[in-house]
Amino acid sequence: STFAGHISGSSTSTGSFGAVSINGSPNIHGDSDGIGLGITNPAKDFHIHGSTPTVRLTAGGYTSGVDLLMDTGGTAYLSNRNNGSLKFSTNNTIRATIGSGGSIGIGTETPSATLDVVGNVEVSSHITGSGNLEIAGNISGSSTSTGSFAKLELTSNITGSDVFTVDGLNGRLFTVTDEMSGSIFSANLISGLPVIEAFSDNRVNIGPFSSPIQIDSSGNISGSSTSTGSFGRVEASNISG
């Protein structure tokens, strides 16, 4: 039927009605509670019910659209089906971005890593990973200290690999190696020569020289790799017995 005037629910009211239902697949129902699509008792202003209820938005030539849906297992999805990013904003400002390749940016709209955060990150538990941890700034144990931390635990699962390294502008300064034979620790000059180096056989070398001072497992101090309990020269002042 075609109506040229108002549809009324009574002989005195104009343009209003108690409820309207349109049968179809899915059916549409509207009443004072809201509009239902696939449901006759909407619980919200707009309520969709079905096996996989989906809302799709398209714009211009991007006809694949953006879908908001839920499956029968209770899992909800927000999907950009186009080759584009997905952005989240509050207070009219974009706060987070998921790039078309899956990278996530927080505080940046152009993430350059799998997770790219611009700003501070606070972790109340552990950070666990199997790759490298690269930090360009300071490691701090509090919001006021700089370059310090309360506790640092490092675990390696590859024998012979460097567990912890510190690189300066001109070379490697510090190395801890997961190795049960040979060098396991060294602190270096910027040239790479060790100032102090510890070995798995309990030896310690001191000095960036071709023949550094050695302290062996028995406590002997040697000025070369062949002498024992001796050294070339000792300079001391204010020694008292």
Side-chain angles (χ1 to χ4, degrees):
S1 300
T2 301
F3 299 90
H6 298 294
I7 300 175
S8 175
S10 69
S11 59
T12 56
S13 62
T14 302
S16 63
F17 42 86
V20 169
S21 294
I22 301 175
N23 293 326
S25 180
N27 61 63
I28 301 174
H29 177 86
D31 58 26
S32 59
D33 293 324
I35 298 174
L37 183 62
I39 187 170
T40 57
N41 56 336
K44 297 295 181 181
D45 294 336
F46 186 50
H47 186 166
I48 302 176
H49 179 77
S51 59
T52 310
T54 304
V55 175
R56 174 166 295 178
L57 303 176
T58 59
Y62 296 96
T63 56
S64 294
V66 174
D67 287 353
L68 173 63
L69 66 144
M70 187 180 76
D71 63 22
T72 54
T75 301
Y77 300 85
L78 177 60
S79 172
N80 185 351
R81 302 175 71 247
N82 305 286
N83 184 21
S85 60
L86 191 62
K87 299 180 184 294
F88 301 87
S89 67
T90 62
N91 196 25
N92 201 32
T93 301
I94 294 174
R95 307 297 187 183
T97 298
I98 303 177
S100 59
S103 297
I104 300 173
I106 300 176
T108 176
E109 295 183 50
T110 56
S112 58
T114 303
L115 177 61
D116 190 348
V117 179
V118 176
N120 297 327
V121 177
E122 183 173 335
V123 179
S124 60
S125 186
H126 297 86
I127 298 177
T128 304
S130 59
N132 298 322
L133 176 63
E134 298 182 4
I135 300 175
N138 297 318
I139 300 176
S140 175
S142 69
S143 59
T144 55
S145 64
T146 302
S148 63
F149 42 88
K151 185 178 181 181
L152 181 64
E153 296 181 357
L154 302 170
T155 302
S156 172
N157 57 4
I158 303 176
T159 301
S161 65
D162 292 337
V163 179
F164 183 65
T165 61
V166 177
D167 290 330
L169 293 176
N170 298 301
R172 180 148 295 175
L173 303 177
F174 184 86
T175 304
V176 177
T177 305
D178 180 14
E179 181 62 72
M180 296 308 296
S181 62
S183 176
I184 58 175
F185 162 87
S186 67
N188 309 325
L189 295 173
I190 59 175
S191 61
L193 292 174
V195 176
I196 183 170
E197 187 171 15
F199 297 84
S200 58
D201 59 359
N202 298 323
R203 289 182 297 114
V204 177
N205 286 0
I206 302 174
F209 317 114
S210 57
S211 297
I213 297 173
Q214 293 186 0
I215 304 175
D216 63 21
S217 59
S218 300
N220 296 314
I221 301 175
S222 173
S224 69
S225 59
T226 56
S227 62
T228 301
S230 63
F231 39 85
R233 184 175 65 177
V234 172
E235 294 183 1
S237 60
N238 298 324
I239 299 178
S240 62

